[in-house]
Amino acid sequence: MNTPDTNTCQRCGAVVPARSTEELCPACLMAGALEVTGGAAETVSLTSGESLSRDEPTEFPCAFGSYRLLGLLGRGGMGTVYEAEEIATGRRVALKMLGQQLDSPELRQRFLREGRLAAGVNHPNSLYIFGSEEIDGLPVITMEIAGSGTLKDKLKKRGPLPVTEAVDSILDVITGLEAAFAGGVLHRDIKPSNCFVSPDGSVKVGDFGLSVSTMARYDTFITVSGQIMGTPAYAPPEQLRGDTADLRADIYSVGATLFTLLTGRAPFEGENVVQIVANAINNTPEPLTGLREDVPPELERVVTRCLAKEPDGRYADYMTLRNALLPFSSREPEPASLKVRTAAVPYVILMLAVGNEQFHLRFIMERTLPSAVYYLTFLGCGLLYFTLAEGIWGGGFGKRFKGLRVVRTDGRPPGIGRALTRILVPVLTIEGIRMPLLLATISSTRIDDMTTPEIVIFSVATGLCPMIPVLFNLTARRENGFATLWDLVSGTRVVVKQKGLARPSLEPVVKPEDPAENAEALGPYLITDEIIPGEWIAAIDPVLRRRVWLLRRTSSVPSLARRDVARQGRLRWLQKVEAAEVTWDAYEAVQGVPFSSLVDDGQQVPWETLRHLLHDLASELWSATGDETLPAELSLDHVWVTAQGNVVLLDVPWPGAPTAGSDRIPVGDLTGQQRFLDTIAAFVESTGLPLHARPVLRNLKDRKFEKLSFLTGTLRGLLDRPAEVSRGIRAGSIFMIPLYTGIMIFVGTRQGADWLYGITGDSAGMLALSTAMFVLVGSALIQLLEVPLRTTSGHSIFRLAVVDISGERADIPRLMIRWAIVWLPLLVPVSIVVLLTGWPGSTVTALSTLAVLLLWLGAAFHAALHPHRGLHDRLAGTWVVRQ
């Protein structure tokens, strides 16, 4: 029986103190059973005077330690969150304090552990933890305030979000979770109410109350095995069962959150927690397209894969999930130019290779049902391939190999109907002109009986009709996304497939040290190293286990704007520390190296890395100029590169850098800022610099940018362009056209070119060897003719270029040398063998030719495995780069 001093937990029946306003006991709160009505989140807003307990404030503002509480932001299973102002600095923060009704040694330890895990994550898409302390006997975590509520609040106000906005929000969440995972943290409680919206619209991950460390370096308070944690409507089945969870558990929760953003409801609902858990474990969610018509089926498949019951059925990592979602975001895809789309069309090649009687003339001369079936089957197979490949997957093998995809003008996949229209336009144009013309003009029943006019008509029709679609390319311009006529008719475009950016990471050279057992304390921190005795000290926060740098304050106080800086490009100011009549400013310490150490002893930085550094620096210069937090002068030693490959601009130069005392550049105006960025750009590895980046760096050197925002935007655009020559791209540029042509010719000659057997004999092996040599000799001659153009067909299709040691396009003499190094080792030995023995000659001739061919192919494979510089490029003094 309940007494006046007790209530009953609605979930388990346990006794709840009457002074508590919670309807659940502390154990059930910790078990994540906060959403008892189909997934309603726990964030609440109280009116003035309403209180969560008798001991909490009822009127705002009010004093609380060194803070002034301004209002209630919400409450959760671990405590209450207030908006507050730090009295000494005026900084607005969020204070999360452990609820007094939950205060116990175990829960206090878990509460502080949340702060410790969250403090290890520093990313724009994660709420920042400033510190932890105890005020009036209560543990308090001081953290960043997002300012615009949560995604759950946005859903309450607006209902289901537009598709692109929902996907954009989830992409921010993925980025924040990825940063947390890189720091060794699994969140385990992602849901709309734990995703916080900033005033600029970006989304930050918060509330690490149920997170666990994947490395357990300092974390000794791990969840008891078998204990169910998380919010049932968003937790994966393995987490609800108490099984071990990994990164794919968070991916499930991300999918569930996206489901909610698109529909306004959780993927699984029920009248109580038990029913929600049962539904989540046993049932599948209702199809998104059944709840909302404008959700693309492909996006539904992405969400369904995230919500797979077994972890193996989900995306394996965040990058793969990001790439799957990017086509549905607001990010505009890059249109594919005609040069990139150019490829050998199998239809045209096969027509020219199969032979007159087998393809061109059989239907026309026989005019029988079997010949018509042969002709229609051939065309039908081609139409079916392109229709299915482009309609379902967005592209066939060629497009996918080159990183292209076919989409509608709104970015969605084309579907079967549009894909069929795309291929019918060029094919029907060719055959609609060619076949009626030939049927009306050719009356011969054998090729040997064709008259001269018939031969002329046949040659013109066969040779020129396939060229008609080339005229359709005249509609293609950059302004319309390089749309050809069949693109315009079908409402489609060919774009470069969007991919997430992966930053090159660094092994930190400056390794932090742990404090000694008898380490000296400076304020709340334990000293680990005196970088500059009495001026710059490395220390650690023993509660949050976060490393900090303490800089002695020698002049003015950091401005309020500097103390409030919350960008990844600057160190976070944490607090002022006073000790022995000396004032110190505490900043977060970031693992990494000074930029000057990367370029010590004349080293150069690959463009893949430097482009990120330049963009980060330009972004920070632009932002710091706007809020007036930019130092007056900068040098190489002010640039700190983190272990994750990000740039942090230090307020003072790093004292241990190899170039300590290097020249400082005034950056108070645009000219100085461009000069500083050009100083960084000068260390680029020129032989790996893509051609598209050269004009940007040249304009930077000449100080031609009118505004820093123009430069920052231009550098951001370079991040979306390919920087490296991958092995797949290099292999495609070497082998695709010859292999494609060789296969087509081999198949065609096997079917209809009896004349060739007079040369090769009745041997498929000899025919294959002859075909290979024919194709390679033809390729060599074509590339020789292309030397004056300073490119090749393969390089043009795959957007590659050849440069010399200065990084400029190789000149014609050097390209001639490169051509000779590539082809003469194949052509000269084979020519000698043919001259001595004739062709096809004996078995010795064939074996000798095959041996030379295999050696040559070995060198070609070496070039594919070393895409930036194969053996022939090393001998020619050239490099292969992106255009």
Side-chain angles (χ1 to χ4, degrees), residues 1-9 13-20 22:
M1 177 180 294
N2 293 340
T3 69
D5 296 327
T6 63
N7 292 318
T8 301
C9 175
V15 174
V16 179
R19 68 182 180 89
S20 173
E22 303 288 354

Side-chain angles (χ1 to χ4, degrees), residues 265-342:
R265 50 175 280 190
F268 300 102
E269 297 179 328
E271 295 182 356
N272 53 53
V273 174
V274 173
Q275 188 173 355
I276 294 173
V277 172
N279 290 338
I281 292 177
N282 299 320
N283 299 338
T284 57
E286 189 173 345
L288 272 173
T289 50
L291 297 172
R292 182 170 171 177
E293 295 181 354
D294 64 335
V295 173
E298 296 74 19
L299 179 58
E300 180 184 40
R301 285 194 284 269
V302 174
V303 176
T304 300
R305 183 173 175 183
C306 291
L307 294 176
K309 299 299 181 185
E310 297 300 325
D312 289 342
R314 303 170 201 151
Y315 292 96
D317 53 61
Y318 292 118
M319 181 60 76
T320 307
L321 175 57
R322 177 186 292 110
N323 290 339
L325 288 173
L326 276 173
F328 311 102
S329 70
S330 60
R331 178 175 161 188
E332 290 290 334
E334 176 189 354
S337 66
L338 294 181
K339 183 189 296 185
V340 175
R341 295 167 58 176
T342 301

Side-chain angles (χ1 to χ4, degrees), residues 335-343 402 470 472-477 481-484 486-487 796-797:
S337 66
L338 294 181
K339 183 189 296 185
V340 175
R341 295 167 58 176
T342 301
K402 292 190 290 182
V470 175
F472 297 167
N473 292 335
L474 297 177
T475 62
R477 304 180 190 84
F482 298 106
T484 62
W486 53 83
D487 291 326
S796 180
I797 291 173

Side-chain angles (χ1 to χ4, degrees), residues 774-787:
F774 173 78
V775 170
L776 291 176
V777 170
S779 298
L781 294 176
I782 291 174
Q783 288 190 17
L784 181 61
L785 296 175
E786 290 174 332
V787 166

Side-chain angles (χ1 to χ4, degrees), residues 334 496 607-608 611 690 692 718-724 799 882-883:
E334 176 189 354
V496 179
W607 173 246
E608 171 67 15
R611 61 176 182 160
H692 63 256
L718 292 180
L719 297 182
D720 293 327
R721 305 288 296 274
E724 288 292 314
R799 295 172 290 176
R882 286 280 194 169
Q883 285 186 5

Side-chain angles (χ1 to χ4, degrees), residues 374-554:
Y374 174 88
Y375 169 77
L376 294 175
T377 300
F378 174 79
L379 286 182
C381 289
L383 293 174
L384 183 64
Y385 167 77
F386 281 104
T387 300
L388 293 179
E390 295 187 352
I392 298 176
W393 300 292
F397 173 76
K399 286 187 174 64
R400 294 171 69 89
F401 185 77
K402 292 190 290 182
L404 307 178
R405 61 192 302 266
V406 179
V407 298
R408 300 186 197 179
T409 52
D410 60 3
R412 298 172 62 179
I416 299 297
R418 294 175 187 271
L420 179 60
T421 303
R422 278 180 54 83
I423 189 61
L424 281 177
V425 169
V427 169
L428 291 183
T429 303
I430 296 173
E431 296 305 287
I433 296 175
R434 189 176 74 91
M435 294 307 298
L437 178 63
L438 296 181
L439 286 171
T441 56
I442 296 178
S443 58
S444 302
T445 57
R446 292 191 318 130
I447 189 172
D448 295 336
D449 297 334
M450 289 180 64
T451 65
T452 299
E454 289 177 334
I455 293 176
V456 171
I457 294 173
F458 165 74
S459 300
V460 171
T462 303
L464 294 184
C465 285
M467 299 297 106
I468 293 175
V470 175
L471 299 177
F472 297 167
N473 292 335
L474 297 177
T475 62
R477 304 180 190 84
R478 179 171 293 277
E479 302 83 63
N480 67 2
F482 298 106
T484 62
L485 183 61
W486 53 83
D487 291 326
L488 296 174
V489 171
S490 61
T492 60
R493 299 291 185 273
V494 179
V495 299
V496 179
K497 189 175 181 180
Q498 295 174 301
K499 293 183 179 180
L501 294 175
R503 283 177 178 262
S505 58
L506 301 174
E507 280 295 328
V509 175
V510 180
K511 297 184 181 295
E513 298 180 2
D514 291 327
E517 293 184 4
N518 57 348
E520 182 181 353
L522 182 57
Y525 305 110
L526 297 179
I527 297 176
T528 59
D529 182 31
E530 294 199 40
I531 301 172
I532 301 180
E535 295 185 23
W536 190 323
I537 293 175
I540 190 170
D541 182 330
V543 177
L544 296 180
R545 307 293 173 87
R546 178 168 57 198
R547 301 183 184 278
V548 299
W549 284 328
L550 294 160
L551 276 65
R552 181 171 180 168
R553 187 180 293 177
T554 57

Side-chain angles (χ1 to χ4, degrees), residues 39-81:
E42 73 275 17
T43 303
V44 298
S45 298
L46 300 186
T47 59
S48 177
E50 187 177 358
S51 174
L52 295 176
S53 77
R54 293 180 304 181
D55 298 316
E56 293 175 346
T58 59
E59 295 183 0
F60 300 101
C62 63
F64 182 67
S66 59
Y67 300 92
R68 181 181 295 107
L69 300 185
L70 304 178
L72 178 69
L73 291 177
R75 62 186 173 94
M78 290 300 291
T80 310
V81 183

Side-chain angles (χ1 to χ4, degrees), residues 23-34:
E23 297 179 337
L24 303 176
C25 67
C28 289
L29 286 174
M30 291 298 296
L34 299 172

